[in-house]
Amino acid sequence: MDQKWLEEQKEQISLALAQQGIRLVVPVRTRVGKGSVPEKERTLASFIDHTLLKPTASKLQIEKLCQEARQYGFASVCVNPVHVAAAARLLQGSDVKVCTVIGFPLGANTTLTKVLEARDAAAAGAHEVDMVLNIGSLMEGDYAQVYSDIKAVRDAVPGLVLKVILETGYLSKEQIVKGCILTKMAGADFVKTSTGFGPGGATVEDVQLMRTVVGEDFGVKASGGIRDYAAAAAMLEAGANRIGASAGVAIVEELRGETGH
């Protein structure tokens, strides 16, 4: 990517925000840099958010999800907000985090709704929240709305890891770039590719682009359609340092078979 062009995009967005009376104050954070392909299945598991976001998910399925997360050492379980309290209880005492989704899957909720949803999730025991940005506003160039939406959630849950879902399947490459810039400006911790409910999932090309834009000291989560070890490894090679997958067990077991465990 042309670095001069990228800097011009940042300047244009900063100017657009300033014209709306938004003064940028980006928090200084310590972030984990890009990942590398792990050699052992336990290490691989630590990059995966073990995910169950189906509307039909039952209490028994959430219990199984949490049991698997403990067993394999996944980074987190990612569940719908209604299951956060149960997951927090089931994972108490473990290193597995509880992640939930905000404004999911459309991103078209009001900012107030997203803020209240995030605060409720934090109160229920969530450690991480994956919010869907306002996709329509990004596509029409309303950068103030996109920024303010993310920043409000950031300010509402300052102690939680905040990942921002771009839903890249709807976006042009330029829109992905601008979504990444706005996410970082608003003080989030990760950009994320997809909800898994949109028109497309994670691609190597998009992950590489996102990593280039946000730099080495920021999170990139690849999510959507990652069902085997080859796909997960490709995303990590491309620059992801977190993988969202409902097939986490299968991915780790595939590596386990290959490494002779």
Side-chain angles (χ1 to χ4, degrees), residues 173-213:
K173 301 307 178 187
E174 183 173 337
Q175 288 165 345
I176 292 171
V177 168
K178 290 179 176 177
C180 289
I181 292 170
L182 287 159
T183 295
K184 195 167 184 179
M185 284 180 170
D189 300 291
F190 279 75
V191 284
K192 177 179 171 181
T193 56
S194 317
T195 63
F197 290 79
T203 68
V204 166
E205 183 181 14
D206 286 346
V207 170
Q208 289 173 333
L209 177 61
M210 292 162 76
R211 172 55 66 196
T212 298
V213 176

PDB file of all heavy atoms in Angstrom, residues 173-213:
ATOM      1  N   LYS A 173     -12.278  -1.782  -0.782  1.00  0.00           N
ATOM      2  CA  LYS A 173     -10.975  -1.739  -0.113  1.00  0.00           C
ATOM      3  C   LYS A 173     -10.759  -0.379   0.553  1.00  0.00           C
ATOM      4  O   LYS A 173     -10.252  -0.295   1.674  1.00  0.00           O
ATOM      5  CB  LYS A 173      -9.845  -2.039  -1.102  1.00  0.00           C
ATOM      6  CG  LYS A 173      -9.943  -3.389  -1.780  1.00  0.00           C
ATOM      7  CD  LYS A 173     -10.092  -4.536  -0.785  1.00  0.00           C
ATOM      8  CE  LYS A 173     -10.234  -5.871  -1.493  1.00  0.00           C
ATOM      9  NZ  LYS A 173     -10.554  -6.982  -0.548  1.00  0.00           N
ATOM     10  N   GLU A 174     -11.164   0.681  -0.117  1.00  0.00           N
ATOM     11  CA  GLU A 174     -11.004   2.010   0.463  1.00  0.00           C
ATOM     12  C   GLU A 174     -11.859   2.163   1.723  1.00  0.00           C
ATOM     13  O   GLU A 174     -11.426   2.779   2.708  1.00  0.00           O
ATOM     14  CB  GLU A 174     -11.379   3.079  -0.554  1.00  0.00           C
ATOM     15  CG  GLU A 174     -11.157   4.500  -0.048  1.00  0.00           C
ATOM     16  CD  GLU A 174     -11.381   5.544  -1.118  1.00  0.00           C
ATOM     17  OE1 GLU A 174     -11.274   5.209  -2.312  1.00  0.00           O
ATOM     18  OE2 GLU A 174     -11.645   6.712  -0.756  1.00  0.00           O
ATOM     19  N   GLN A 175     -13.052   1.608   1.709  1.00  0.00           N
ATOM     20  CA  GLN A 175     -13.914   1.675   2.895  1.00  0.00           C
ATOM     21  C   GLN A 175     -13.349   0.851   4.043  1.00  0.00           C
ATOM     22  O   GLN A 175     -13.467   1.244   5.214  1.00  0.00           O
ATOM     23  CB  GLN A 175     -15.317   1.201   2.527  1.00  0.00           C
ATOM     24  CG  GLN A 175     -16.076   2.190   1.654  1.00  0.00           C
ATOM     25  CD  GLN A 175     -17.305   1.607   0.996  1.00  0.00           C
ATOM     26  OE1 GLN A 175     -17.491   0.387   0.936  1.00  0.00           O
ATOM     27  NE2 GLN A 175     -18.174   2.465   0.486  1.00  0.00           N
ATOM     28  N   ILE A 176     -12.729  -0.274   3.745  1.00  0.00           N
ATOM     29  CA  ILE A 176     -12.063  -1.063   4.783  1.00  0.00           C
ATOM     30  C   ILE A 176     -10.947  -0.251   5.415  1.00  0.00           C
ATOM     31  O   ILE A 176     -10.799  -0.210   6.646  1.00  0.00           O
ATOM     32  CB  ILE A 176     -11.513  -2.378   4.206  1.00  0.00           C
ATOM     33  CG1 ILE A 176     -12.658  -3.316   3.807  1.00  0.00           C
ATOM     34  CG2 ILE A 176     -10.591  -3.078   5.217  1.00  0.00           C
ATOM     35  CD1 ILE A 176     -12.222  -4.552   3.043  1.00  0.00           C
ATOM     36  N   VAL A 177     -10.156   0.412   4.591  1.00  0.00           N
ATOM     37  CA  VAL A 177      -9.074   1.266   5.090  1.00  0.00           C
ATOM     38  C   VAL A 177      -9.632   2.326   6.038  1.00  0.00           C
ATOM     39  O   VAL A 177      -9.131   2.536   7.153  1.00  0.00           O
ATOM     40  CB  VAL A 177      -8.312   1.927   3.923  1.00  0.00           C
ATOM     41  CG1 VAL A 177      -7.392   3.038   4.433  1.00  0.00           C
ATOM     42  CG2 VAL A 177      -7.511   0.881   3.154  1.00  0.00           C
ATOM     43  N   LYS A 178     -10.683   2.993   5.614  1.00  0.00           N
ATOM     44  CA  LYS A 178     -11.247   4.073   6.425  1.00  0.00           C
ATOM     45  C   LYS A 178     -11.889   3.533   7.705  1.00  0.00           C
ATOM     46  O   LYS A 178     -11.801   4.163   8.767  1.00  0.00           O
ATOM     47  CB  LYS A 178     -12.232   4.882   5.588  1.00  0.00           C
ATOM     48  CG  LYS A 178     -11.514   5.696   4.520  1.00  0.00           C
ATOM     49  CD  LYS A 178     -12.438   6.494   3.639  1.00  0.00           C
ATOM     50  CE  LYS A 178     -11.628   7.347   2.655  1.00  0.00           C
ATOM     51  NZ  LYS A 178     -12.459   8.105   1.718  1.00  0.00           N
ATOM     52  N   GLY A 179     -12.514   2.359   7.625  1.00  0.00           N
ATOM     53  CA  GLY A 179     -13.056   1.738   8.828  1.00  0.00           C
ATOM     54  C   GLY A 179     -11.974   1.418   9.839  1.00  0.00           C
ATOM     55  O   GLY A 179     -12.148   1.612  11.049  1.00  0.00           O
ATOM     56  N   CYS A 180     -10.832   0.949   9.353  1.00  0.00           N
ATOM     57  CA  CYS A 180      -9.704   0.656  10.241  1.00  0.00           C
ATOM     58  C   CYS A 180      -9.160   1.926  10.888  1.00  0.00           C
ATOM     59  O   CYS A 180      -8.860   1.951  12.086  1.00  0.00           O
ATOM     60  CB  CYS A 180      -8.595  -0.043   9.462  1.00  0.00           C
ATOM     61  SG  CYS A 180      -8.938  -1.743   8.975  1.00  0.00           S
ATOM     62  N   ILE A 181      -9.021   2.985  10.083  1.00  0.00           N
ATOM     63  CA  ILE A 181      -8.514   4.254  10.614  1.00  0.00           C
ATOM     64  C   ILE A 181      -9.438   4.785  11.706  1.00  0.00           C
ATOM     65  O   ILE A 181      -8.988   5.193  12.789  1.00  0.00           O
ATOM     66  CB  ILE A 181      -8.374   5.284   9.476  1.00  0.00           C
ATOM     67  CG1 ILE A 181      -7.260   4.869   8.503  1.00  0.00           C
ATOM     68  CG2 ILE A 181      -8.078   6.684  10.042  1.00  0.00           C
ATOM     69  CD1 ILE A 181      -7.217   5.703   7.233  1.00  0.00           C
ATOM     70  N   LEU A 182     -10.740   4.775  11.451  1.00  0.00           N
ATOM     71  CA  LEU A 182     -11.703   5.280  12.428  1.00  0.00           C
ATOM     72  C   LEU A 182     -11.711   4.432  13.696  1.00  0.00           C
ATOM     73  O   LEU A 182     -11.819   4.966  14.810  1.00  0.00           O
ATOM     74  CB  LEU A 182     -13.100   5.315  11.804  1.00  0.00           C
ATOM     75  CG  LEU A 182     -13.314   6.428  10.777  1.00  0.00           C
ATOM     76  CD1 LEU A 182     -14.477   6.102   9.855  1.00  0.00           C
ATOM     77  CD2 LEU A 182     -13.550   7.754  11.490  1.00  0.00           C
ATOM     78  N   THR A 183     -11.590   3.116  13.545  1.00  0.00           N
ATOM     79  CA  THR A 183     -11.552   2.218  14.701  1.00  0.00           C
ATOM     80  C   THR A 183     -10.370   2.536  15.596  1.00  0.00           C
ATOM     81  O   THR A 183     -10.494   2.611  16.824  1.00  0.00           O
ATOM     82  CB  THR A 183     -11.479   0.755  14.230  1.00  0.00           C
ATOM     83  OG1 THR A 183     -12.686   0.427  13.526  1.00  0.00           O
ATOM     84  CG2 THR A 183     -11.310  -0.198  15.397  1.00  0.00           C
ATOM     85  N   LYS A 184      -9.226   2.729  14.984  1.00  0.00           N
ATOM     86  CA  LYS A 184      -8.029   3.035  15.766  1.00  0.00           C
ATOM     87  C   LYS A 184      -8.124   4.423  16.392  1.00  0.00           C
ATOM     88  O   LYS A 184      -7.757   4.620  17.558  1.00  0.00           O
ATOM     89  CB  LYS A 184      -6.792   2.916  14.880  1.00  0.00           C
ATOM     90  CG  LYS A 184      -5.486   2.867  15.663  1.00  0.00           C
ATOM     91  CD  LYS A 184      -4.314   2.442  14.804  1.00  0.00           C
ATOM     92  CE  LYS A 184      -3.060   2.311  15.660  1.00  0.00           C
ATOM     93  NZ  LYS A 184      -1.879   1.881  14.863  1.00  0.00           N
ATOM     94  N   MET A 185      -8.633   5.383  15.638  1.00  0.00           N
ATOM     95  CA  MET A 185      -8.798   6.741  16.173  1.00  0.00           C
ATOM     96  C   MET A 185      -9.721   6.766  17.386  1.00  0.00           C
ATOM     97  O   MET A 185      -9.534   7.558  18.314  1.00  0.00           O
ATOM     98  CB  MET A 185      -9.368   7.663  15.090  1.00  0.00           C
ATOM     99  CG  MET A 185      -8.377   8.101  14.047  1.00  0.00           C
ATOM    100  SD  MET A 185      -9.173   9.201  12.823  1.00  0.00           S
ATOM    101  CE  MET A 185      -7.736   9.786  11.909  1.00  0.00           C
ATOM    102  N   ALA A 186     -10.737   5.911  17.372  1.00  0.00           N
ATOM    103  CA  ALA A 186     -11.727   5.903  18.452  1.00  0.00           C
ATOM    104  C   ALA A 186     -11.247   5.170  19.697  1.00  0.00           C
ATOM    105  O   ALA A 186     -11.955   5.142  20.702  1.00  0.00           O
ATOM    106  CB  ALA A 186     -13.029   5.291  17.952  1.00  0.00           C
ATOM    107  N   GLY A 187     -10.055   4.566  19.636  1.00  0.00           N
ATOM    108  CA  GLY A 187      -9.483   3.958  20.831  1.00  0.00           C
ATOM    109  C   GLY A 187      -9.851   2.509  21.077  1.00  0.00           C
ATOM    110  O   GLY A 187      -9.696   2.008  22.185  1.00  0.00           O
ATOM    111  N   ALA A 188     -10.350   1.817  20.045  1.00  0.00           N
ATOM    112  CA  ALA A 188     -10.643   0.386  20.196  1.00  0.00           C
ATOM    113  C   ALA A 188      -9.337  -0.403  20.240  1.00  0.00           C
ATOM    114  O   ALA A 188      -8.239   0.163  20.138  1.00  0.00           O
ATOM    115  CB  ALA A 188     -11.525  -0.091  19.038  1.00  0.00           C
ATOM    116  N   ASP A 189      -9.459  -1.715  20.402  1.00  0.00           N
ATOM    117  CA  ASP A 189      -8.288  -2.572  20.532  1.00  0.00           C
ATOM    118  C   ASP A 189      -8.057  -3.478  19.327  1.00  0.00           C
ATOM    119  O   ASP A 189      -6.931  -3.922  19.097  1.00  0.00           O
ATOM    120  CB  ASP A 189      -8.433  -3.447  21.782  1.00  0.00           C
ATOM    121  CG  ASP A 189      -8.565  -2.625  23.041  1.00  0.00           C
ATOM    122  OD1 ASP A 189      -7.577  -1.988  23.421  1.00  0.00           O
ATOM    123  OD2 ASP A 189      -9.666  -2.592  23.627  1.00  0.00           O
ATOM    124  N   PHE A 190      -9.115  -3.786  18.602  1.00  0.00           N
ATOM    125  CA  PHE A 190      -9.039  -4.671  17.446  1.00  0.00           C
ATOM    126  C   PHE A 190      -9.950  -4.155  16.337  1.00  0.00           C
ATOM    127  O   PHE A 190     -10.992  -3.548  16.618  1.00  0.00           O
ATOM    128  CB  PHE A 190      -9.567  -6.080  17.781  1.00  0.00           C
ATOM    129  CG  PHE A 190      -8.628  -7.006  18.485  1.00  0.00           C
ATOM    130  CD1 PHE A 190      -8.350  -6.847  19.839  1.00  0.00           C
ATOM    131  CD2 PHE A 190      -8.049  -8.085  17.824  1.00  0.00           C
ATOM    132  CE1 PHE A 190      -7.516  -7.726  20.513  1.00  0.00           C
ATOM    133  CE2 PHE A 190      -7.213  -8.971  18.479  1.00  0.00           C
ATOM    134  CZ  PHE A 190      -6.945  -8.794  19.824  1.00  0.00           C
ATOM    135  N   VAL A 191      -9.588  -4.470  15.096  1.00  0.00           N
ATOM    136  CA  VAL A 191     -10.544  -4.477  14.002  1.00  0.00           C
ATOM    137  C   VAL A 191     -10.832  -5.932  13.680  1.00  0.00           C
ATOM    138  O   VAL A 191      -9.963  -6.798  13.813  1.00  0.00           O
ATOM    139  CB  VAL A 191     -10.023  -3.756  12.741  1.00  0.00           C
ATOM    140  CG1 VAL A 191     -10.079  -2.263  12.920  1.00  0.00           C
ATOM    141  CG2 VAL A 191      -8.623  -4.211  12.367  1.00  0.00           C
ATOM    142  N   LYS A 192     -12.049  -6.195  13.257  1.00  0.00           N
ATOM    143  CA  LYS A 192     -12.490  -7.566  12.981  1.00  0.00           C
ATOM    144  C   LYS A 192     -13.172  -7.599  11.626  1.00  0.00           C
ATOM    145  O   LYS A 192     -13.869  -6.654  11.253  1.00  0.00           O
ATOM    146  CB  LYS A 192     -13.445  -8.022  14.093  1.00  0.00           C
ATOM    147  CG  LYS A 192     -14.053  -9.399  13.921  1.00  0.00           C
ATOM    148  CD  LYS A 192     -14.954  -9.733  15.110  1.00  0.00           C
ATOM    149  CE  LYS A 192     -15.756 -11.006  14.881  1.00  0.00           C
ATOM    150  NZ  LYS A 192     -16.652 -11.321  16.023  1.00  0.00           N
ATOM    151  N   THR A 193     -12.994  -8.692  10.902  1.00  0.00           N
ATOM    152  CA  THR A 193     -13.493  -8.759   9.534  1.00  0.00           C
ATOM    153  C   THR A 193     -15.007  -8.824   9.439  1.00  0.00           C
ATOM    154  O   THR A 193     -15.623  -8.000   8.761  1.00  0.00           O
ATOM    155  CB  THR A 193     -12.895  -9.968   8.801  1.00  0.00           C
ATOM    156  OG1 THR A 193     -13.188 -11.167   9.538  1.00  0.00           O
ATOM    157  CG2 THR A 193     -11.400  -9.822   8.622  1.00  0.00           C
ATOM    158  N   SER A 194     -15.621  -9.815  10.106  1.00  0.00           N
ATOM    159  CA  SER A 194     -16.994 -10.182   9.754  1.00  0.00           C
ATOM    160  C   SER A 194     -17.788 -10.676  10.957  1.00  0.00           C
ATOM    161  O   SER A 194     -17.221 -11.108  11.962  1.00  0.00           O
ATOM    162  CB  SER A 194     -16.984 -11.303   8.700  1.00  0.00           C
ATOM    163  OG  SER A 194     -16.020 -11.073   7.702  1.00  0.00           O
ATOM    164  N   THR A 195     -19.100 -10.645  10.805  1.00  0.00           N
ATOM    165  CA  THR A 195     -19.987 -11.220  11.820  1.00  0.00           C
ATOM    166  C   THR A 195     -20.211 -12.710  11.605  1.00  0.00           C
ATOM    167  O   THR A 195     -20.600 -13.423  12.529  1.00  0.00           O
ATOM    168  CB  THR A 195     -21.371 -10.546  11.777  1.00  0.00           C
ATOM    169  OG1 THR A 195     -21.973 -10.804  10.488  1.00  0.00           O
ATOM    170  CG2 THR A 195     -21.278  -9.049  12.008  1.00  0.00           C
ATOM    171  N   GLY A 196     -20.035 -13.167  10.374  1.00  0.00           N
ATOM    172  CA  GLY A 196     -20.425 -14.526  10.018  1.00  0.00           C
ATOM    173  C   GLY A 196     -21.857 -14.597   9.517  1.00  0.00           C
ATOM    174  O   GLY A 196     -22.306 -15.642   9.059  1.00  0.00           O
ATOM    175  N   PHE A 197     -22.568 -13.472   9.602  1.00  0.00           N
ATOM    176  CA  PHE A 197     -23.950 -13.400   9.145  1.00  0.00           C
ATOM    177  C   PHE A 197     -24.083 -12.509   7.909  1.00  0.00           C
ATOM    178  O   PHE A 197     -25.183 -12.329   7.384  1.00  0.00           O
ATOM    179  CB  PHE A 197     -24.855 -12.868  10.257  1.00  0.00           C
ATOM    180  CG  PHE A 197     -25.040 -13.826  11.396  1.00  0.00           C
ATOM    181  CD1 PHE A 197     -24.062 -13.977  12.376  1.00  0.00           C
ATOM    182  CD2 PHE A 197     -26.198 -14.589  11.498  1.00  0.00           C
ATOM    183  CE1 PHE A 197     -24.231 -14.861  13.433  1.00  0.00           C
ATOM    184  CE2 PHE A 197     -26.373 -15.474  12.559  1.00  0.00           C
ATOM    185  CZ  PHE A 197     -25.385 -15.616  13.518  1.00  0.00           C
ATOM    186  N   GLY A 198     -22.989 -11.939   7.448  1.00  0.00           N
ATOM    187  CA  GLY A 198     -23.004 -11.033   6.309  1.00  0.00           C
ATOM    188  C   GLY A 198     -22.736 -11.752   5.000  1.00  0.00           C
ATOM    189  O   GLY A 198     -22.763 -12.981   4.927  1.00  0.00           O
ATOM    190  N   PRO A 199     -22.433 -10.983   3.941  1.00  0.00           N
ATOM    191  CA  PRO A 199     -22.285 -11.566   2.606  1.00  0.00           C
ATOM    192  C   PRO A 199     -20.959 -12.270   2.359  1.00  0.00           C
ATOM    193  O   PRO A 199     -20.766 -12.880   1.320  1.00  0.00           O
ATOM    194  CB  PRO A 199     -22.421 -10.353   1.688  1.00  0.00           C
ATOM    195  CG  PRO A 199     -21.947  -9.205   2.516  1.00  0.00           C
ATOM    196  CD  PRO A 199     -22.377  -9.516   3.919  1.00  0.00           C
ATOM    197  N   GLY A 200     -20.023 -12.184   3.271  1.00  0.00           N
ATOM    198  CA  GLY A 200     -18.731 -12.835   3.076  1.00  0.00           C
ATOM    199  C   GLY A 200     -17.977 -12.899   4.382  1.00  0.00           C
ATOM    200  O   GLY A 200     -18.249 -12.147   5.316  1.00  0.00           O
ATOM    201  N   GLY A 201     -17.019 -13.819   4.461  1.00  0.00           N
ATOM    202  CA  GLY A 201     -16.221 -13.969   5.667  1.00  0.00           C
ATOM    203  C   GLY A 201     -14.838 -13.373   5.501  1.00  0.00           C
ATOM    204  O   GLY A 201     -14.596 -12.513   4.648  1.00  0.00           O
ATOM    205  N   ALA A 202     -13.922 -13.854   6.334  1.00  0.00           N
ATOM    206  CA  ALA A 202     -12.551 -13.351   6.310  1.00  0.00           C
ATOM    207  C   ALA A 202     -11.825 -13.816   5.053  1.00  0.00           C
ATOM    208  O   ALA A 202     -12.001 -14.948   4.607  1.00  0.00           O
ATOM    209  CB  ALA A 202     -11.807 -13.838   7.547  1.00  0.00           C
ATOM    210  N   THR A 203     -11.013 -12.938   4.494  1.00  0.00           N
ATOM    211  CA  THR A 203     -10.128 -13.306   3.397  1.00  0.00           C
ATOM    212  C   THR A 203      -8.707 -12.893   3.750  1.00  0.00           C
ATOM    213  O   THR A 203      -8.497 -11.934   4.515  1.00  0.00           O
ATOM    214  CB  THR A 203     -10.514 -12.621   2.068  1.00  0.00           C
ATOM    215  OG1 THR A 203     -10.273 -11.202   2.175  1.00  0.00           O
ATOM    216  CG2 THR A 203     -11.982 -12.871   1.739  1.00  0.00           C
ATOM    217  N   VAL A 204      -7.746 -13.610   3.205  1.00  0.00           N
ATOM    218  CA  VAL A 204      -6.344 -13.281   3.441  1.00  0.00           C
ATOM    219  C   VAL A 204      -6.049 -11.860   2.987  1.00  0.00           C
ATOM    220  O   VAL A 204      -5.369 -11.092   3.679  1.00  0.00           O
ATOM    221  CB  VAL A 204      -5.436 -14.296   2.714  1.00  0.00           C
ATOM    222  CG1 VAL A 204      -3.999 -13.797   2.661  1.00  0.00           C
ATOM    223  CG2 VAL A 204      -5.499 -15.658   3.411  1.00  0.00           C
ATOM    224  N   GLU A 205      -6.578 -11.487   1.841  1.00  0.00           N
ATOM    225  CA  GLU A 205      -6.336 -10.156   1.292  1.00  0.00           C
ATOM    226  C   GLU A 205      -6.837  -9.058   2.227  1.00  0.00           C
ATOM    227  O   GLU A 205      -6.134  -8.062   2.473  1.00  0.00           O
ATOM    228  CB  GLU A 205      -7.019 -10.023  -0.071  1.00  0.00           C
ATOM    229  CG  GLU A 205      -6.762  -8.698  -0.765  1.00  0.00           C
ATOM    230  CD  GLU A 205      -7.471  -8.578  -2.100  1.00  0.00           C
ATOM    231  OE1 GLU A 205      -8.380  -9.399  -2.382  1.00  0.00           O
ATOM    232  OE2 GLU A 205      -7.143  -7.654  -2.863  1.00  0.00           O
ATOM    233  N   ASP A 206      -8.024  -9.240   2.778  1.00  0.00           N
ATOM    234  CA  ASP A 206      -8.575  -8.227   3.675  1.00  0.00           C
ATOM    235  C   ASP A 206      -7.792  -8.152   4.985  1.00  0.00           C
ATOM    236  O   ASP A 206      -7.556  -7.066   5.520  1.00  0.00           O
ATOM    237  CB  ASP A 206     -10.046  -8.507   3.962  1.00  0.00           C
ATOM    238  CG  ASP A 206     -10.950  -8.183   2.780  1.00  0.00           C
ATOM    239  OD1 ASP A 206     -10.485  -7.494   1.845  1.00  0.00           O
ATOM    240  OD2 ASP A 206     -12.120  -8.624   2.785  1.00  0.00           O
ATOM    241  N   VAL A 207      -7.398  -9.296   5.506  1.00  0.00           N
ATOM    242  CA  VAL A 207      -6.615  -9.309   6.749  1.00  0.00           C
ATOM    243  C   VAL A 207      -5.273  -8.619   6.537  1.00  0.00           C
ATOM    244  O   VAL A 207      -4.823  -7.829   7.375  1.00  0.00           O
ATOM    245  CB  VAL A 207      -6.440 -10.743   7.268  1.00  0.00           C
ATOM    246  CG1 VAL A 207      -5.420 -10.784   8.412  1.00  0.00           C
ATOM    247  CG2 VAL A 207      -7.774 -11.314   7.733  1.00  0.00           C
ATOM    248  N   GLN A 208      -4.621  -8.899   5.421  1.00  0.00           N
ATOM    249  CA  GLN A 208      -3.358  -8.226   5.107  1.00  0.00           C
ATOM    250  C   GLN A 208      -3.551  -6.713   5.020  1.00  0.00           C
ATOM    251  O   GLN A 208      -2.724  -5.942   5.542  1.00  0.00           O
ATOM    252  CB  GLN A 208      -2.804  -8.755   3.784  1.00  0.00           C
ATOM    253  CG  GLN A 208      -2.265 -10.170   3.851  1.00  0.00           C
ATOM    254  CD  GLN A 208      -1.873 -10.713   2.492  1.00  0.00           C
ATOM    255  OE1 GLN A 208      -2.409 -10.294   1.456  1.00  0.00           O
ATOM    256  NE2 GLN A 208      -0.943 -11.652   2.467  1.00  0.00           N
ATOM    257  N   LEU A 209      -4.635  -6.300   4.385  1.00  0.00           N
ATOM    258  CA  LEU A 209      -4.919  -4.874   4.257  1.00  0.00           C
ATOM    259  C   LEU A 209      -5.151  -4.244   5.620  1.00  0.00           C
ATOM    260  O   LEU A 209      -4.599  -3.168   5.931  1.00  0.00           O
ATOM    261  CB  LEU A 209      -6.147  -4.675   3.360  1.00  0.00           C
ATOM    262  CG  LEU A 209      -6.640  -3.240   3.174  1.00  0.00           C
ATOM    263  CD1 LEU A 209      -5.570  -2.374   2.519  1.00  0.00           C
ATOM    264  CD2 LEU A 209      -7.926  -3.225   2.345  1.00  0.00           C
ATOM    265  N   MET A 210      -5.940  -4.888   6.448  1.00  0.00           N
ATOM    266  CA  MET A 210      -6.240  -4.360   7.778  1.00  0.00           C
ATOM    267  C   MET A 210      -4.977  -4.253   8.617  1.00  0.00           C
ATOM    268  O   MET A 210      -4.762  -3.248   9.309  1.00  0.00           O
ATOM    269  CB  MET A 210      -7.286  -5.255   8.453  1.00  0.00           C
ATOM    270  CG  MET A 210      -8.655  -5.182   7.774  1.00  0.00           C
ATOM    271  SD  MET A 210      -9.753  -6.553   8.172  1.00  0.00           S
ATOM    272  CE  MET A 210     -10.264  -6.116   9.827  1.00  0.00           C
ATOM    273  N   ARG A 211      -4.109  -5.274   8.550  1.00  0.00           N
ATOM    274  CA  ARG A 211      -2.863  -5.225   9.316  1.00  0.00           C
ATOM    275  C   ARG A 211      -1.989  -4.073   8.838  1.00  0.00           C
ATOM    276  O   ARG A 211      -1.377  -3.356   9.656  1.00  0.00           O
ATOM    277  CB  ARG A 211      -2.133  -6.561   9.174  1.00  0.00           C
ATOM    278  CG  ARG A 211      -0.715  -6.590   9.759  1.00  0.00           C
ATOM    279  CD  ARG A 211      -0.671  -6.167  11.214  1.00  0.00           C
ATOM    280  NE  ARG A 211      -1.368  -7.104  12.084  1.00  0.00           N
ATOM    281  CZ  ARG A 211      -1.745  -6.828  13.319  1.00  0.00           C
ATOM    282  NH1 ARG A 211      -1.519  -5.621  13.836  1.00  0.00           N
ATOM    283  NH2 ARG A 211      -2.373  -7.722  14.068  1.00  0.00           N
ATOM    284  N   THR A 212      -1.916  -3.861   7.532  1.00  0.00           N
ATOM    285  CA  THR A 212      -1.111  -2.766   6.996  1.00  0.00           C
ATOM    286  C   THR A 212      -1.602  -1.419   7.513  1.00  0.00           C
ATOM    287  O   THR A 212      -0.804  -0.554   7.885  1.00  0.00           O
ATOM    288  CB  THR A 212      -1.163  -2.769   5.458  1.00  0.00           C
ATOM    289  OG1 THR A 212      -0.615  -4.000   4.970  1.00  0.00           O
ATOM    290  CG2 THR A 212      -0.360  -1.608   4.877  1.00  0.00           C
ATOM    291  N   VAL A 213      -2.913  -1.251   7.587  1.00  0.00           N
ATOM    292  CA  VAL A 213      -3.481   0.032   8.003  1.00  0.00           C
ATOM    293  C   VAL A 213      -3.278   0.282   9.492  1.00  0.00           C
ATOM    294  O   VAL A 213      -2.864   1.375   9.895  1.00  0.00           O
ATOM    295  CB  VAL A 213      -4.980   0.106   7.658  1.00  0.00           C
ATOM    296  CG1 VAL A 213      -5.577   1.413   8.177  1.00  0.00           C
ATOM    297  CG2 VAL A 213      -5.195  -0.008   6.154  1.00  0.00           C
TER     298      VAL A 213
END
